[in-house]
Amino acid sequence: MLKRLSLSPQESGLLAFVLAVKVLLLLYAGLAHAVIENQSAGSLFELLDYWRRWDTPHYLQVAARGYVAEGEARLFIVFFPMYPWLVRAMAWLVVDHYIAALLVSTLASLALALALYRLVALDYGADLAQRAVALLFVFPTSYFLHIAYTESLFLALVVGSALAARSGHWKTAGLLGLFAALTRVNGALLAALLACEAWRQWRENRLALYQAWPILLVPTGVLIYLGVNHAVFGDPLHFLEVQRGHWHKRLAPPWDGLQGAWGWVLRGDPPTNRYMLGVQEVSFAALAIVMTLISAFRLRPAYAAWMALNTLLFLSTNFMQSVPRYCLTLFPMMILLAQGFRTPMQWMAFCVGSTLLLALFSFQFSMGRWGF
């Protein structure tokens, strides 16, 4: 156990890199505001407050008050409970729920970096594993890994579960999968990844399939969430009604959402919507589709299954929204991107381009404008 918990120099360097990116990114918004608006940058807490946008107040309210059946807060049942529960637990130590949320995301992002490095290194070696982690944390929407959103926790649980399965620790894999399914709706898809991994290990190493029974724990996370719905509203599927009635989202063929996003591209008014709701949504959808197709030929079946099911899920909606953010969940894509650079110049060019988009999108988000 101590050997598994110890860090190699490469892992320590990666964690330092993640922390450095986190600090620079969180301070960047406040400093950019100070320059653009010609005002003082303010205190550290004021700088951090620029990131308290969009869904963050909703998660904080659930953490502070729990789910309720009345008032505007009744709509927050669509947010899965694992992240707010951890924020509430952390708030017992630091009192302030927002600081607690940032700490939860920080710890989760560090765990994610370490788990992804170890997972990728199993098949591709330390060098490519380092590149894959670096690509994830300079991805254009990677600011969601640092702020009070679920991305870092969800990915840490998903990658940690995959790593545990690869290492033969199926009970740990199933338990982390349960927590992932309590964090985001697509956590339930982790059962497919684990099932594919169990099948491959059975074929290659004659794994006794009964050892993989903890895969059944994964859907339990969704059942717990349905139980929360029933306890608060008397209807285990109440969140679907809220999604349709307030958030105006429902399942639909993928081409419906793509057609709507393409309509924003053609409409062109206002230009910001054309770029953010049209060009970027379509571009990242295309990236997800292409990477999913490539993964079927280049990666383990478990990773290809994860890519395919997640891509299908977030494209199968009546209107596409937040696809650039959802692409973060496609962690095998970072392996494919890391494999794709043949020269250091290609690597640097991609990192520079990705970082520029990261700066643009994160500033847009911190200004309270739509940033996925």
Side-chain angles (χ1 to χ4, degrees), residues 294-346:
I294 296 175
S295 71
F297 301 97
R298 299 286 298 273
L299 299 180
R300 297 174 73 87
Y303 298 164
W306 177 257
M307 292 277 292
L309 291 174
N310 275 274
T311 298
L312 181 62
L313 178 63
F314 63 66
L315 293 185
S316 297
T317 180
N318 56 312
F319 71 94
M320 284 203 317
Q321 187 180 45
S322 302
V323 170
R325 171 159 65 98
Y326 296 153
C327 280
L328 278 175
T329 64
L330 305 179
F331 71 90
M333 180 170 65
M334 305 306 159
I335 302 174
L336 293 174
L337 291 174
Q339 290 175 327
F341 301 111
R342 303 301 182 187
T343 67
M345 189 61 67
Q346 292 175 348

Coordinates of all heavy atoms in Angstrom, one line a residue, residues 294-346:
I294 N -11.7 7.0 -34.2 CA -10.3 6.5 -34.2 C -10.1 5.6 -33.0 O -9.3 4.6 -33.1 CB -9.4 7.8 -34.1 CG1 -9.5 8.6 -35.4 CG2 -7.9 7.4 -33.9 CD1 -8.7 9.9 -35.3
S295 N -10.7 5.9 -31.9 CA -10.5 5.1 -30.7 C -10.9 3.6 -30.9 O -10.3 2.7 -30.3 CB -11.3 5.7 -29.5 OG -12.7 5.5 -29.6
A296 N -11.8 3.4 -31.8 CA -12.3 2.0 -32.1 C -11.2 1.2 -32.6 O -11.2 0.0 -32.5 CB -13.5 2.0 -33.0
F297 N -10.2 1.8 -33.3 CA -9.1 1.1 -33.9 C -7.8 1.2 -33.1 O -6.9 0.4 -33.3 CB -8.9 1.7 -35.3 CG -10.1 1.5 -36.2 CD1 -10.9 2.6 -36.4 CD2 -10.4 0.3 -36.9 CE1 -12.0 2.5 -37.2 CE2 -11.5 0.2 -37.7 CZ -12.3 1.3 -37.8
R298 N -7.6 2.3 -32.3 CA -6.3 2.5 -31.7 C -6.3 2.2 -30.2 O -5.1 2.1 -29.6 CB -6.0 4.0 -31.9 CG -5.8 4.4 -33.4 CD -4.6 3.9 -34.0 NE -3.4 4.4 -33.3 CZ -2.8 5.6 -33.6 NH1 -3.3 6.3 -34.6 NH2 -1.7 6.0 -33.0
L299 N -7.4 2.1 -29.5 CA -7.4 2.0 -28.1 C -8.0 0.7 -27.6 O -8.6 0.0 -28.4 CB -8.1 3.2 -27.4 CG -7.6 4.6 -27.7 CD1 -8.4 5.7 -27.0 CD2 -6.1 4.7 -27.3
R300 N -7.9 0.5 -26.3 CA -8.6 -0.7 -25.7 C -10.1 -0.6 -25.9 O -10.6 0.5 -25.9 CB -8.3 -0.7 -24.2 CG -6.8 -0.9 -23.8 CD -6.6 -0.8 -22.3 NE -7.0 -2.0 -21.6 CZ -6.3 -3.1 -21.5 NH1 -5.1 -3.2 -21.9 NH2 -6.8 -4.1 -20.8
P301 N -10.7 -1.7 -26.1 CA -12.2 -1.7 -26.3 C -12.9 -1.0 -25.1 O -14.0 -0.3 -25.4 CB -12.6 -3.2 -26.3 CG -11.3 -3.9 -26.8 CD -10.2 -3.1 -26.2
A302 N -12.4 -1.1 -23.9 CA -13.1 -0.4 -22.8 C -13.1 1.1 -23.0 O -14.1 1.8 -22.8 CB -12.4 -0.7 -21.5
Y303 N -12.0 1.7 -23.5 CA -11.9 3.1 -23.7 C -12.7 3.5 -24.9 O -13.4 4.6 -24.9 CB -10.4 3.5 -24.0 CG -9.5 3.2 -22.8 CD1 -8.1 3.2 -23.1 CD2 -9.9 3.0 -21.6 CE1 -7.2 3.0 -22.0 CE2 -9.0 2.7 -20.5 CZ -7.7 2.7 -20.8 OH -6.8 2.4 -19.7
A304 N -12.7 2.7 -26.0 CA -13.6 3.0 -27.1 C -15.1 3.0 -26.7 O -15.8 3.8 -27.2 CB -13.3 2.0 -28.2
A305 N -15.5 2.1 -25.9 CA -16.8 2.0 -25.4 C -17.2 3.3 -24.6 O -18.3 3.9 -24.8 CB -17.1 0.8 -24.6
W306 N -16.3 3.7 -23.8 CA -16.5 4.9 -23.0 C -16.7 6.1 -23.9 O -17.6 7.0 -23.8 CB -15.4 5.2 -22.0 CG -15.5 6.4 -21.2 CD1 -14.8 7.6 -21.4 CD2 -16.4 6.7 -20.1 NE1 -15.2 8.5 -20.5 CE2 -16.1 8.0 -19.7 CE3 -17.3 5.9 -19.5 CZ2 -16.8 8.6 -18.6 CZ3 -18.0 6.5 -18.4 CH2 -17.7 7.8 -18.0
M307 N -15.8 6.2 -24.9 CA -15.9 7.3 -25.9 C -17.2 7.3 -26.6 O -17.9 8.3 -26.7 CB -14.7 7.2 -26.9 CG -13.3 7.5 -26.3 SD -12.9 9.2 -26.2 CE -12.8 9.7 -27.9
A308 N -17.6 6.2 -27.1 CA -18.8 6.1 -28.0 C -20.0 6.4 -27.2 O -20.9 7.2 -27.6 CB -18.8 4.7 -28.6
L309 N -20.2 5.8 -26.0 CA -21.4 6.0 -25.2 C -21.5 7.4 -24.7 O -22.6 8.0 -24.7 CB -21.4 5.0 -24.1 CG -21.6 3.5 -24.4 CD1 -21.4 2.6 -23.2 CD2 -22.9 3.3 -25.1
N310 N -20.4 8.0 -24.3 CA -20.5 9.4 -23.8 C -20.8 10.4 -25.0 O -21.6 11.3 -24.8 CB -19.2 9.8 -23.1 CG -19.2 9.4 -21.6 OD1 -19.7 10.1 -20.8 ND2 -18.7 8.2 -21.4
T311 N -20.1 10.2 -26.1 CA -20.4 11.0 -27.2 C -21.8 10.9 -27.7 O -22.5 12.0 -27.9 CB -19.4 10.7 -28.4 OG1 -18.1 10.9 -28.0 CG2 -19.7 11.6 -29.6
L312 N -22.3 9.7 -27.7 CA -23.7 9.5 -28.1 C -24.7 10.2 -27.1 O -25.7 10.9 -27.5 CB -24.1 8.1 -28.2 CG -25.5 7.7 -28.6 CD1 -25.8 8.2 -30.0 CD2 -25.7 6.2 -28.6
L313 N -24.4 10.1 -25.8 CA -25.2 10.7 -24.8 C -25.3 12.2 -24.9 O -26.4 12.8 -24.9 CB -24.8 10.2 -23.4 CG -25.6 10.8 -22.2 CD1 -27.0 10.3 -22.3 CD2 -24.9 10.5 -20.9
F314 N -24.1 12.9 -25.0 CA -24.2 14.3 -24.9 C -24.6 15.0 -26.3 O -24.9 16.2 -26.3 CB -23.0 15.0 -24.3 CG -21.7 14.8 -25.0 CD1 -21.4 15.3 -26.2 CD2 -20.6 14.1 -24.3 CE1 -20.1 15.2 -26.8 CE2 -19.4 14.0 -24.9 CZ -19.1 14.5 -26.1
L315 N -24.6 14.2 -27.3 CA -25.1 14.7 -28.6 C -26.6 14.4 -28.8 O -27.2 15.0 -29.7 CB -24.3 14.1 -29.8 CG -22.8 14.5 -29.9 CD1 -22.2 13.9 -31.2 CD2 -22.6 16.0 -29.9
S316 N -27.1 13.4 -28.0 CA -28.5 13.0 -28.2 C -29.5 13.9 -27.4 O -30.1 13.5 -26.4 CB -28.7 11.6 -27.8 OG -27.9 10.7 -28.6
T317 N -29.5 15.2 -27.8 CA -30.4 16.1 -27.1 C -31.0 17.0 -28.1 O -30.6 17.2 -29.2 CB -29.5 17.0 -26.1 OG1 -30.3 17.9 -25.4 CG2 -28.4 17.7 -26.8
N318 N -32.1 17.7 -27.7 CA -32.9 18.5 -28.6 C -32.1 19.8 -29.0 O -32.3 20.3 -30.1 CB -34.2 18.9 -28.1 CG -34.1 19.5 -26.7 OD1 -33.4 19.1 -25.8 ND2 -34.9 20.6 -26.5
F319 N -31.2 20.2 -28.2 CA -30.3 21.3 -28.6 C -29.0 21.1 -27.9 O -28.9 20.7 -26.7 CB -30.9 22.7 -28.3 CG -31.0 23.1 -26.8 CD1 -29.9 23.8 -26.2 CD2 -32.1 22.7 -26.1 CE1 -30.0 24.1 -24.9 CE2 -32.1 23.1 -24.7 CZ -31.1 23.8 -24.1
M320 N -27.9 21.3 -28.7 CA -26.6 21.0 -28.2 C -26.1 22.2 -27.3 O -26.3 23.4 -27.6 CB -25.6 20.9 -29.3 CG -25.7 19.5 -30.0 SD -24.2 19.1 -30.9 CE -23.7 20.6 -31.6
Q321 N -25.6 21.8 -26.1 CA -25.1 22.8 -25.2 C -24.0 22.2 -24.3 O -24.1 21.1 -23.9 CB -26.3 23.3 -24.3 CG -26.0 24.4 -23.3 CD -27.1 24.8 -22.5 OE1 -27.8 23.9 -21.9 NE2 -27.4 26.1 -22.4
S322 N -22.9 23.0 -24.2 CA -21.8 22.6 -23.3 C -21.0 21.4 -23.9 O -20.3 20.8 -23.1 CB -22.3 22.2 -21.9 OG -23.0 23.3 -21.4
V323 N -21.1 21.1 -25.2 CA -20.3 20.0 -25.7 C -18.8 20.2 -25.5 O -18.1 19.3 -25.2 CB -20.6 19.8 -27.3 CG1 -19.6 18.9 -27.9 CG2 -22.0 19.3 -27.4
P324 N -18.2 21.5 -25.6 CA -16.8 21.6 -25.3 C -16.5 21.2 -23.9 O -15.4 20.7 -23.7 CB -16.6 23.1 -25.6 CG -17.6 23.5 -26.6 CD -18.8 22.7 -26.2
R325 N -17.4 21.5 -23.0 CA -17.1 21.0 -21.6 C -17.2 19.5 -21.4 O -16.4 18.9 -20.8 CB -18.1 21.7 -20.6 CG -18.1 21.2 -19.2 CD -18.6 22.2 -18.2 NE -20.0 22.5 -18.4 CZ -21.0 21.9 -17.8 NH1 -20.7 21.0 -16.8 NH2 -22.3 22.3 -18.0
Y326 N -18.3 19.0 -22.1 CA -18.5 17.5 -21.9 C -17.3 16.7 -22.6 O -17.1 15.6 -22.2 CB -19.8 17.1 -22.6 CG -21.0 17.7 -21.9 CD1 -22.2 17.9 -22.7 CD2 -21.0 18.1 -20.6 CE1 -23.3 18.4 -22.1 CE2 -22.1 18.6 -20.0 CZ -23.3 18.8 -20.7 OH -24.4 19.3 -20.1
C327 N -16.6 17.3 -23.5 CA -15.5 16.6 -24.1 C -14.4 16.3 -23.1 O -13.6 15.4 -23.3 CB -14.9 17.5 -25.3 SG -15.9 17.3 -26.8
L328 N -14.4 17.1 -22.0 CA -13.4 16.8 -21.0 C -13.6 15.3 -20.4 O -12.6 14.7 -20.0 CB -13.5 17.7 -19.8 CG -12.9 19.1 -19.9 CD1 -13.3 19.9 -18.7 CD2 -11.4 19.0 -20.0
T329 N -14.8 14.8 -20.4 CA -15.0 13.5 -19.9 C -14.4 12.4 -20.8 O -14.3 11.3 -20.4 CB -16.5 13.2 -19.7 OG1 -17.2 13.2 -21.0 CG2 -17.2 14.3 -18.8
L330 N -14.1 12.8 -22.0 CA -13.5 11.8 -23.0 C -12.0 11.6 -22.7 O -11.2 11.9 -23.6 CB -13.8 12.2 -24.4 CG -15.3 12.5 -24.8 CD1 -15.4 12.9 -26.2 CD2 -16.1 11.2 -24.5
F331 N -11.6 11.2 -21.6 CA -10.2 11.1 -21.2 C -9.4 10.3 -22.2 O -8.2 10.6 -22.4 CB -10.0 10.6 -19.8 CG -10.4 9.1 -19.6 CD1 -9.3 8.2 -19.7 CD2 -11.6 8.7 -19.2 CE1 -9.6 6.8 -19.5 CE2 -11.9 7.4 -19.1 CZ -10.9 6.4 -19.2
P332 N -9.9 9.2 -22.8 CA -9.1 8.5 -23.8 C -8.7 9.4 -25.0 O -7.7 9.0 -25.7 CB -10.0 7.3 -24.3 CG -10.9 7.1 -23.1 CD -11.2 8.5 -22.6
M333 N -9.4 10.4 -25.2 CA -9.0 11.3 -26.3 C -7.7 11.9 -26.1 O -6.9 12.2 -27.0 CB -10.1 12.4 -26.5 CG -9.8 13.4 -27.6 SD -11.2 14.5 -27.9 CE -11.3 15.4 -26.4
M334 N -7.3 12.1 -24.8 CA -6.0 12.7 -24.5 C -4.9 11.8 -24.9 O -3.8 12.2 -25.3 CB -5.9 13.1 -23.0 CG -7.0 14.0 -22.6 SD -7.2 15.5 -23.5 CE -8.8 16.0 -23.2
I335 N -5.1 10.5 -24.8 CA -4.1 9.5 -25.3 C -4.0 9.6 -26.8 O -2.8 9.6 -27.3 CB -4.6 8.0 -24.9 CG1 -4.8 7.9 -23.4 CG2 -3.6 7.0 -25.4 CD1 -5.4 6.6 -23.0
L336 N -5.1 9.7 -27.5 CA -5.0 9.8 -29.0 C -4.3 11.1 -29.4 O -3.4 11.0 -30.3 CB -6.4 9.7 -29.6 CG -7.2 8.4 -29.4 CD1 -8.6 8.6 -29.9 CD2 -6.5 7.3 -30.2
L337 N -4.6 12.2 -28.7 CA -3.9 13.4 -29.1 C -2.4 13.3 -28.8 O -1.6 13.8 -29.5 CB -4.6 14.6 -28.3 CG -6.0 14.9 -28.7 CD1 -6.5 16.0 -27.8 CD2 -6.0 15.5 -30.2
A338 N -2.1 12.7 -27.6 CA -0.7 12.6 -27.3 C 0.1 11.7 -28.3 O 1.3 12.0 -28.5 CB -0.5 12.1 -25.9
Q339 N -0.6 10.7 -28.8 CA 0.0 9.9 -29.8 C 0.2 10.6 -31.2 O 1.0 10.2 -32.0 CB -0.8 8.6 -30.0 CG -0.8 7.7 -28.9 CD -1.8 6.5 -29.1 OE1 -2.8 6.6 -29.8 NE2 -1.4 5.3 -28.6
G340 N -0.6 11.6 -31.4 CA -0.7 12.2 -32.7 C 0.4 13.1 -33.1 O 0.6 13.5 -34.3
F341 N 1.2 13.6 -32.1 CA 2.3 14.5 -32.4 C 3.6 13.8 -32.7 O 4.1 13.1 -31.9 CB 2.5 15.5 -31.2 CG 1.2 16.2 -30.8 CD1 0.6 15.9 -29.6 CD2 0.7 17.2 -31.7 CE1 -0.6 16.6 -29.3 CE2 -0.5 17.8 -31.3 CZ -1.1 17.5 -30.1
R342 N 4.0 14.1 -34.0 CA 5.2 13.4 -34.4 C 6.5 14.2 -34.1 O 7.6 13.7 -34.1 CB 5.1 13.2 -35.9 CG 3.9 12.4 -36.4 CD 3.9 11.0 -35.7 NE 2.7 10.2 -36.2 CZ 2.4 9.1 -35.6 NH1 3.1 8.5 -34.7 NH2 1.3 8.4 -36.1
T343 N 6.4 15.5 -33.9 CA 7.5 16.3 -33.7 C 7.3 17.3 -32.5 O 6.1 17.6 -32.2 CB 7.9 17.2 -34.9 OG1 6.8 18.2 -35.2 CG2 8.0 16.3 -36.2
P344 N 8.3 17.8 -31.9 CA 8.1 18.7 -30.8 C 7.4 20.0 -31.2 O 6.6 20.6 -30.5 CB 9.6 19.0 -30.3 CG 10.3 17.8 -30.7 CD 9.7 17.3 -32.0
M345 N 7.6 20.4 -32.5 CA 7.0 21.6 -33.0 C 5.4 21.4 -33.1 O 4.7 22.3 -32.8 CB 7.5 21.9 -34.4 CG 7.1 23.3 -34.9 SD 7.6 24.7 -33.8 CE 9.4 24.6 -34.1
Q346 N 5.0 20.2 -33.5 CA 3.6 19.9 -33.5 C 3.0 20.0 -32.1 O 1.9 20.5 -31.9 CB 3.3 18.6 -34.2 CG 3.6 18.5 -35.6 CD 3.5 17.1 -36.2 OE1 3.4 16.1 -35.4 NE2 3.5 16.9 -37.5

